[in-house]
Amino acid sequence: MKTVTLTLALILVSFLSNAQEATSTNIKVAINNITSNEGKVMVSLHTADTFMKGPGIQNLEGTIENGAVSFTFENVPQGTYAIMALHDVNENRRMDFEENGMPKESYGLSGNAMSSGPPNFSTAKFETNGEDLEFEIRF
């Protein structure tokens, strides 16, 4: 009887530890300083491998109301990520640039660090650990 009880206890602990390893995170993103309601805002969740190289692992877009928009990335596995956001005013699904190379449209990152030069994964990265997160990104 002790062997059966011990076996059942070990199986239960095994299931619980696997359930904890499989936890995922929901990440809420709010952007509240958009200068106009024109166009859409696009946000993308990136790993170091996808950052500045194309679409993220999750990509969302939303309509702006009263200069604000919010998003939720759902079921994000544990890991290291960065969020990029773009106010796509003309809805051409890409960032537009001035002749001198400067962006025409507003953008922001999860770390809210704005450097002179292209966005940097190391300043925007964050870790997920199974707990839900909230970010406010500034353009």
Side-chain angles (χ1 to χ4, degrees):
M1 184 67 176
K2 288 182 182 180
T3 305
V4 171
T5 305
L6 181 60
T7 303
L8 289 174
L10 288 173
I11 291 172
L12 179 62
V13 168
S14 174
F15 282 126
L16 290 175
S17 67
N18 285 338
Q20 288 178 353
E21 289 175 15
T23 58
S24 61
T25 300
N26 290 331
I27 303 170
K28 293 182 180 181
V29 178
I31 305 170
N32 299 311
N33 67 332
I34 305 168
T35 56
S36 78
N37 289 338
E38 291 180 55
K40 294 189 178 214
V41 171
M42 301 185 316
V43 294
S44 53
L45 181 67
H46 289 273
T47 63
D49 293 335
T50 64
F51 192 80
M52 295 293 290
K53 296 175 185 160
I57 62 166
Q58 284 190 39
N59 304 284
L60 305 170
E61 64 179 52
T63 304
I64 306 158
E65 293 183 23
N66 300 317
V69 66
S70 62
F71 304 92
T72 301
F73 293 106
E74 296 180 345
N75 302 316
V76 178
Q78 291 184 8
T80 303
Y81 301 95
I83 298 170
M84 298 178 71
L86 168 67
H87 181 191
D88 186 17
V89 177
N90 60 3
E91 297 189 47
N92 65 351
R93 307 194 55 73
R94 64 181 181 86
M95 171 153 318
D96 295 316
F97 295 91
E98 300 287 350
E99 287 183 24
N100 65 2
M102 297 298 291
K104 282 185 177 180
E105 298 169 310
S106 301
Y107 70 96
L109 304 170
S110 46
N112 283 320
M114 293 306 227
S115 60
S116 56
N120 185 321
F121 184 79
S122 64
T123 59
K125 71 180 179 180
F126 60 90
E127 302 281 330
T128 61
N129 60 9
E131 295 182 21
D132 290 348
L133 299 172
E134 292 186 19
F135 289 96
E136 183 172 338
I137 294 179
R138 294 185 312 265
F139 281 161

